[in-house]
Amino acid sequence: MLVATLLCTAGSGSFDTPVSPLGASLAASVLPAPEHVSTSTDRFPLTAATRISAPAGATAVGEYLAAAIRRATGLPVRTGERGSIALTLDGKASLGPEGYHLAITTAGVRIDAHDPAGLFHGVQTLRQVIPERSGAVTLPGGTVTDTPRFAWRGASLDVARHFFSVAEVERYIDALALYKINTLHLHLTDDQGWRIEIRSRPRLTQIGAATEIGGGHGGFYTQDEYRALVKYAQDRFITVVPEIELPGHTNAALASYAELNCDGKARRPYLSSGVGFSSVCPGRQATEYFIADVFAEVAALTPGPFVHIGGDEVKSLTPREYASVVESAQRAVQAQHKTAIGWQEITAAALDPGTVVQYWQRNDPPGPLVAAAGKAKFVLSPADKTYLDMKYNPQTELGLSWAGFVEVRDAYDWDPATLLPGVGEARVLGVEAPIWTETLENASDVLFMAFPRLPAIAELGWSPRSSHDWDSFRRRLAIQAPHWDAMHLSYYRSPQIPWPR
Ligand code: TNX
């Protein structure tokens, strides 16, 4: 039944349909673009009486959806038995761990998945067709069958250059969940600050956490706070990958423990943004113990399979010295039954077959790097496309520009399967959009740089290659804006996007 007072949908699923912030069709609304989508003339009325049922294994997903609907519409929608919105875990195994099937008909809404993560992603799709306006609303009919292209759809956040509170990181996690990002890589240590409590090395946070770029107070997560953050992400089906940078980007550790320096002298805190100068002393017993102890504690805080060992931009070691520290870090991670991932420079060390390489730097020809990587899998973060700390254009106040200006189309228009010669689809674990925070001080700065480029990287990670279409993408991106406005997410109003108003 149709609720009479409502603006209705724009009709068929064609991307040529003029998009309106209220009531666009399923095909015209969903971002990342789904694998299969069909639209129908059915309409589902969402009212104060609507109830959501969820299976025992995913009651929290039902509650999450109910809260999202209440936030968007003000309707007192709750979970209950035999809801007209039914979430089930009866989906086929072929949907995999993250896929879902969504059907919106006049009689009701159903989301079927094989695993709770799939239900959660289906819920994000449904949220995108719920208009941001108070009172009863009508949802456009149709079906979606959807599975991701890549397993690793990441965002990373540098909490070392500037510190971000647990609440700020949670706000970013909420934004990531909207676009089916499933990995949050936290850059926890760098020259300017050490941000995670390590109980066997208390000075790391007593001394190393007290600074940040520009002279602010810094900060760190206690292990309990960090555990809560990991849980908050996990509840949104996002896996946290902690990064402990080695051998370089370590001044905060070198300032905290004199024994990590070859000359045995503690370094002064570092508050600016140069790179490449710092390194732990290779081969020293103190360094080996440090690496083993730190990764043991970090791995114990990590339910996910990956721990990041850094490895980028070291200018103060010989190649042999560099490789020896990377290999120690890799061993320490493996000793904790985790898989190591590191920046592309780690291909200069002897890598174990499972170790993952994160590609970022476009200056060097990729051939030798790919050859050195052997059979390793890649996470792709090309700086000139995925670095969300790059300015959008010369006028952008925040951000850097060493990799160029990155407009929305630059972030979107590339294919992960052809970026690196010799690294095809099967060797790409996924994509990741990093945010480095030399110039970013709070959650609103981070969101402004992430939106609207983060959804572009999310779509490259999730959607089938065949759906890649800039014009479709920019129209679907445009109608995200009312959601961002309602959620108070700051974003850049790129002139490339046909924003609704
Ligand atoms: C390069 S990406 C870095 C970071 C900087 C970033 C700034 C990478 C592995 N290293 O240390 O923060 O550029 O854009």
Side-chain angles (χ1 to χ4, degrees):
M1 201 179 65
L2 212 71
V3 175
T5 52
L6 286 181
L7 288 183
C8 213
T9 83
S12 80
S14 151
F15 291 129
D16 297 322
T17 309
V19 287
S20 110
L22 303 180
S25 72
L26 254 183
S29 303
V30 182
L31 193 165
E35 199 175 5
H36 299 288
V37 57
S38 70
T39 56
S40 80
T41 53
D42 270 25
R43 299 287 176 260
F44 175 73
L46 188 58
T47 71
T50 300
R51 294 290 171 266
I52 299 166
S53 57
T59 52
V61 180
E63 295 296 345
Y64 175 98
L65 174 60
I69 293 175
R70 288 194 298 268
R71 207 265 314 131
T73 63
L75 296 169
V77 169
R78 304 187 260 110
T79 53
E81 279 178 30
R82 288 186 298 281
S84 56
I85 300 180
L87 312 185
T88 87
L89 288 170
D90 302 338
K92 295 193 191 106
S94 60
L95 290 169
E98 294 194 293
Y100 65 92
H101 178 79
L102 163 71
I104 304 177
T105 66
T106 307
V109 175
R110 251 187 96 111
I111 307 178
D112 301 303
H114 190 255
D115 283 302
L119 278 185
F120 187 78
H121 296 320
V123 159
Q124 300 306 333
T125 295
L126 179 61
R127 288 178 72 184
Q128 291 180 340
V129 291
I130 300 176
E132 302 281 348
R133 65 196 290 271
S134 63
V137 293
T138 300
L139 311 188
T143 64
V144 173
T145 307
D146 207 8
T147 62
R149 179 178 178 189
F150 294 112
W152 182 302
R153 303 180 306 282
S156 74
L157 181 63
D158 167 11
V159 296
R161 268 53 176 273
H162 281 102
F163 180 64
F164 294 82
S165 67
V166 169
E168 286 177 307
V169 180
E170 288 177 351
R171 197 159 149 62
Y172 196 46
I173 289 171
D174 284 334
L176 300 177
L178 296 170
Y179 297 101
K180 304 184 174 75
I181 295 286
N182 67 355
T183 305
L184 173 62
H185 162 184
L186 286 177
H187 184 74
L188 290 168
T189 66
D190 213 302
D191 291 318
Q192 299 84 353
W194 184 284
R195 307 298 179 206
I196 175 84
E197 176 191 15
I198 301 294
R199 293 193 174 149
S200 63
R201 298 289 189 290
R203 291 160 66 91
L204 287 171
T205 42
Q206 286 158 2
I207 294 170
T211 47
E212 62 181 15
I213 285 190
H217 295 307
F220 67 96
Y221 310 118
T222 64
Q223 293 202 352
D224 287 344
E225 285 169 339
Y226 184 80
R227 260 193 216 95
L229 196 56
V230 168
K231 167 81 167 52
Y232 189 89
Q234 216 170 19
D235 288 345
R236 285 147 188 82
F237 300 90
I238 292 175
T239 304
V240 172
V241 176
E243 177 182 355
I244 303 294
E245 265 267 49
L246 286 164
H249 290 271
T250 38
N251 194 78
L254 303 174
S256 307
Y257 285 98
E259 76 231 36
L260 297 174
N261 298 278
C262 289
D263 62 8
K265 292 190 186 136
R267 295 293 177 262
R268 277 179 217 279
Y270 183 73
L271 308 181
S272 10
S273 35
V275 293
F277 60 91
S278 59
S279 171
V280 294
C281 190
R284 260 204 175 197
Q285 192 148 61
T287 303
E288 295 299 315
Y289 288 156
F290 177 83
I291 292 174
D293 291 348
V294 169
F295 282 114
E297 288 195 40
V298 168
L301 295 169
T302 304
F306 293 101
V307 172
H308 204 298
I309 60 175
D312 67 307
E313 297 180 317
V314 181
K315 296 182 189 144
S316 59
L317 297 181
T318 66
R320 262 180 100 133
E321 289 171 333
Y322 171 82
S324 80
V325 180
V326 169
E327 288 157 21
S328 295
Q330 181 180 243
R331 254 194 318 278
V333 168
Q334 278 177 344
Q336 305 302 324
H337 312 289
K338 300 290 180 188
T339 300
I341 169 167
W343 299 107
Q344 69 191 44
E345 287 93 328
I346 65 165
T347 52
L351 298 187
D352 290 306
T355 297
V356 174
V357 175
Q358 184 164 14
Y359 178 78
W360 65 280
Q361 171 66 274
R362 302 269 283 159
N363 287 349
D364 308 329
L369 162 79
V370 170
K375 294 193 162 71
K377 289 208 170 185
F378 280 83
V379 169
L380 301 176
S381 302
D384 56 353
K385 303 177 190 313
T386 68
Y387 270 33
L388 304 182
D389 60 315
M390 291 301 119
K391 291 175 184 287
Y392 292 97
N393 60 49
Q395 282 72 50
T396 313
E397 237 172 84
L398 302 168
L400 306 174
S401 55
W402 65 264
F405 301 110
V406 180
E407 249 294 356
V408 183
R409 189 165 188 168
D410 302 311
Y412 179 74
D413 250 346
W414 60 287
D415 179 11
T418 57
L419 183 78
L420 292 178
V423 179
E425 183 100 13
R427 282 198 37 217
V428 176
L429 190 56
V431 292
E432 183 174 297
I435 296 201
W436 303 96
T437 59
E438 286 90 339
T439 65
L440 312 179
E441 298 184 22
N442 53 50
S444 141
D445 290 353
V446 164
L447 290 165
F448 179 80
M449 298 309 277
F451 286 84
R453 294 178 291 193
L454 177 86
I457 306 306
E459 175 143 321
L460 292 177
W462 179 280
S463 305
R465 172 77 189 97
S466 57
S467 71
H468 194 90
D469 176 354
W470 165 247
D471 208 43
S472 153
F473 174 75
R474 62 200 276 273
R475 286 164 188 272
R476 285 178 291 112
L477 189 60
I479 58 172
Q480 304 300 309
H483 297 296
W484 302 339
D485 289 335
M487 292 180 224
H488 307 291
L489 298 183
S490 46
Y491 62 96
Y492 161 63
R493 284 181 76 88
S494 164
Q496 298 183 331
I497 308 303
W499 305 109
R501 59 190 140 75

